[in-house]
């Protein structure tokens, strides 16, 4: 048995995608089929499609996806049909050396799925899932451990970007810069990741929280998401940040104490989130 769905299929680096029928096999042991409701477009999708990042063709890209489980293979106990989920493009195997050391973000097998085919075109041509997920389609088949249950009431379109952009911005603030309440922070660039970093810095209590972008049109959104100040990126940026931070620059003391060499190597006094 199989299921035929529409998908945006990329056939070569630099070539635009075309909407084609994609034949998905029924989920095998440990796999689930997810009917997708929303997908985000990450910059990595652009980099994969234009050849900046390696990709085997033909492929269905898209790795920020939200949807509903509609079928499960043998042995799947994590989710059942009807469960709303988001996709995880780097699911840890929980068995390799890094996973055993409690560092699942370094899992040696997180991207294994991207190296194999998962579906076919109607002429039998095998198709690869971009970053293992293939979210630019009506449905996809992924390992059960590559889906994360989604609570009721969360908008799928907003939930989809939890799969990459939001976590990247949040991680920059919480794991890398380690912003604490009352520290100043500057976020450079207000794309999907930058806007996520901005909101994470607001939640962390950064003040002042300075948003910077090349486009003045981003100011209204930046302030709505928590920026206390907005600056247009130009040659006077450093001076302007110092003026807003008592001459200190946007510093995070915790970072100075935890990773002083990193800051020194950068040759900057900034320690803020810079996604
Ligand atoms: Zn991404
Ligand atoms: Zn692992």
């Amino acid at each position: 048995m199989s299921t035929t769905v529409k998908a945006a299929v990329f056939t070569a680096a630099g070539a635009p995608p075309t909407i084609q029928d994609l034949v998905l096999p029924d989920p095998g042991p440990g796999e689930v089929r997810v009917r997708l409701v929303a997908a985000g477009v990450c910059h990595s999708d652009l980099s994969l499609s234009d050849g900046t990042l390696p990709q085997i063709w033909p492929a269905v890209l898209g790795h920020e996806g939200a949807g509903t489980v509609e079928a499960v293979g043998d042995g799947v106990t994590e989710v059942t049909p009807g469960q709303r989920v988001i996709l995880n493009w780097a699911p840890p195997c929980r068995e390799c050396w890094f996973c055993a050391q409690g560092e699942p973000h370094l899992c040696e097998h997180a991207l294994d799925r991207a190296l194999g085919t998962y579906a076919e075109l109607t002429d039998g041509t095998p198709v690869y899932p971009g970053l293992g997920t293939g979210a630019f389609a009506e449905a996809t088949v992924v390992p059960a451990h590559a889906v994360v249950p989604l609570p009721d009431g969360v908008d799928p379109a907003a939930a989809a970007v939890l799969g990459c952009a939001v976590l990247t911005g949040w991680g920059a603030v919480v794991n890398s810069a380690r912003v604490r309440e009352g520290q100043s922070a500057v976020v450079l660039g207000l794309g999907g990741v930058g806007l996520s970093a901005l909101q994470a810095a607001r939640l962390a209590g950064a003040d002042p929280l300075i948003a910077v972008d090349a486009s003045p049109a981003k100011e209204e959104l930046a302030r709505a998401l928590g920026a206390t100040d907005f600056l247009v990126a130009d040659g006077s940026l450093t001076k302007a940040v110092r003026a807003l931070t008592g001459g200190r620059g946007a510093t995070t003391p915790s970072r100075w104490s935890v990773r002083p060499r990193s800051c020194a190597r950068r040759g900057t006094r900034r320690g803020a989130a810079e996604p």
Side-chain angles (χ1 to χ4, degrees):
M1 284 292 291
S2 60
T3 302
T4 301
V5 299
K6 297 288 184 191
V9 179
F10 293 75
T11 54
T18 55
I19 303 301
Q20 298 192 38
D21 286 332
L22 183 74
V23 182
L24 289 169
D26 281 348
E31 294 182 332
V32 300
R33 186 170 70 241
V34 176
R35 182 65 54 168
L36 289 152
V37 177
V41 180
C42 177
H43 197 278
S44 297
D45 290 313
L46 177 63
S47 298
L48 290 163
S49 73
D50 68 13
T52 303
L53 292 174
Q55 175 62 53
I56 316 171
W57 311 109
V60 176
L61 302 182
H63 57 278
E64 296 177 334
T68 303
V69 173
E70 64 175 12
V72 302
D74 289 344
V76 172
T77 56
E78 297 93 331
V79 290
T80 53
Q83 171 71 55
R84 300 169 74 235
V85 294
I86 59 173
L87 303 181
N88 176 2
W89 61 265
C93 73
R94 307 289 181 190
E95 292 175 357
C96 72
W97 189 87
F98 285 106
C99 284
Q101 300 303 313
E103 307 218 56
H105 58 292
L106 299 176
C107 176
E108 297 167 27
H109 302 293
L111 280 171
D112 283 1
R113 183 86 176 176
L115 302 176
T117 59
Y118 79 121
E120 294 179 349
L121 302 180
T122 50
D123 66 2
T125 303
V127 177
Y128 292 83
L131 294 187
T133 46
F136 294 162
E138 291 174 325
T140 188
V141 174
V142 295
H145 71 291
V147 300
V148 180
L150 182 64
D152 289 340
V154 181
D155 172 26
V161 291
L162 275 170
C164 194
V166 173
L167 294 189
T168 305
W170 186 88
V173 170
V174 176
N175 295 330
S176 298
R178 304 184 189 188
V179 176
R180 294 184 311 211
E181 189 170 0
Q183 294 179 337
S184 53
V186 58
V187 177
L188 300 174
L190 301 177
V193 174
L195 291 171
S196 300
L198 183 67
Q199 294 172 83
R202 183 198 68 208
L203 291 171
D207 187 13
L209 174 50
I210 305 163
V212 178
D213 198 87
S215 168
K218 294 284 183 73
E219 176 168 4
E220 187 178 345
L221 180 58
R223 289 189 184 277
L225 294 180
T228 60
D229 301 276
F230 177 86
L231 298 172
V232 175
D234 59 24
S236 64
L237 187 60
T238 305
K239 251 184 200 169
V241 170
R242 288 191 184 282
L244 289 168
T245 54
R248 293 183 298 274
T251 56
T252 55
S254 60
R255 184 160 183 168
W256 277 108
S257 59
V258 173
R259 300 176 62 190
R261 293 183 63 192
S262 170
C263 291
R265 192 163 59 240
R266 285 168 167 229
T268 170
R269 289 184 61 82
R270 280 199 312 268
E274 298 174 58

